[in-house]
Amino acid sequence: MESIPLRAASPRFAFIVLLGLAACLAEAGTAKQQCAPIANAQSEVVGIIKQMFVAARADDLPALNALTTPDFYAYDGGRRFTADTLMELIKKLHAAGKHYEWNVTNPEAHIACNVARVTYVNQGFIEDTAGHQDMMWLESAVLEYGKGQWRVRFFHSTRVPGTQ
């Protein structure tokens, strides 16, 4: 068999090959994320919010972290909180004798592939040594689907005037 001598590739040919390789790698790196299964998505995202309240009532930071993204933050009471700082506040309030009851009512969940927006009325109460006080908050959350589960990325709560 006769061997064919290899010639040095021209710089232009090498550039074109590298450009094609870079384009292929870029396309592979930006592959579309898989969308969440839609069948139960609305009930699942509302369920995540309810689980977040269970974790908060129990002062359970690991459970809260499991339900939120690493870059999670919340707006509540005019302040910005991470999962850690939000749980610190809740623990301080519990230590001061405050008991909170939170309930998701009238939820509306909107799903777009791997992102969900949930709005609802939180009807609950606060109890402490001063007594029982019914409360309502208007709340919203943005959730993200990844690795087979929904997690809260952003949460916002506004107390309804006149319920304090």
Side-chain angles (χ1 to χ4, degrees):
M1 182 187 276
E2 185 176 54
S3 69
I4 301 172
L6 295 175
R7 295 185 306 160
S10 73
R12 182 176 178 187
F13 177 77
F15 175 75
I16 291 171
V17 169
L18 286 174
L19 187 61
L21 180 59
C24 289
L25 289 174
E27 187 173 321
T30 60
K32 187 176 180 181
Q33 221 173 10
Q34 185 174 354
C35 292
I38 198 70
N40 298 318
Q42 290 194 357
S43 62
E44 287 176 5
V45 297
V46 171
I48 295 296
I49 301 301
K50 291 177 180 180
Q51 290 176 44
M52 195 170 77
F53 290 154
V54 170
R57 277 193 294 273
D59 294 338
D60 190 346
L61 181 59
L64 181 62
N65 283 330
L67 297 166
T68 58
T69 62
D71 60 347
F72 165 84
Y73 66 98
Y75 287 153
D76 193 1
R79 294 178 47 204
R80 180 182 165 132
F81 296 93
T82 64
D84 290 347
T85 58
L86 183 59
M87 189 58 74
E88 283 174 25
L89 173 65
I90 292 167
K91 285 181 178 182
K92 285 179 186 174
L93 293 168
H94 287 162
K98 294 194 180 287
H99 169 75
Y100 291 82
E101 183 63 35
W102 300 294
N103 298 290
V104 176
T105 64
N106 304 317
E108 291 184 28
H110 302 274
I111 314 298
C113 189
N114 63 339
V115 175
R117 173 179 44 92
V118 182
T119 59
Y120 56 95
V121 176
N122 181 346
Q123 291 183 315
F125 60 84
I126 299 173
E127 287 181 339
D128 59 14
T129 56
H132 176 98
Q133 187 173 16
D134 289 328
M135 302 293 294
M136 283 183 23
W137 299 267
L138 299 178
E139 296 182 339
S140 59
V142 175
L143 293 86
E144 185 175 274
Y145 185 83
K147 298 181 183 175
Q149 71 179 40
W150 287 102
R151 296 174 73 189
V152 182
R153 186 171 191 157
F154 173 74
F155 174 80
H156 182 261
S157 179
T158 300
R159 192 175 281 183
V160 175
T163 64
Q164 327 184 27

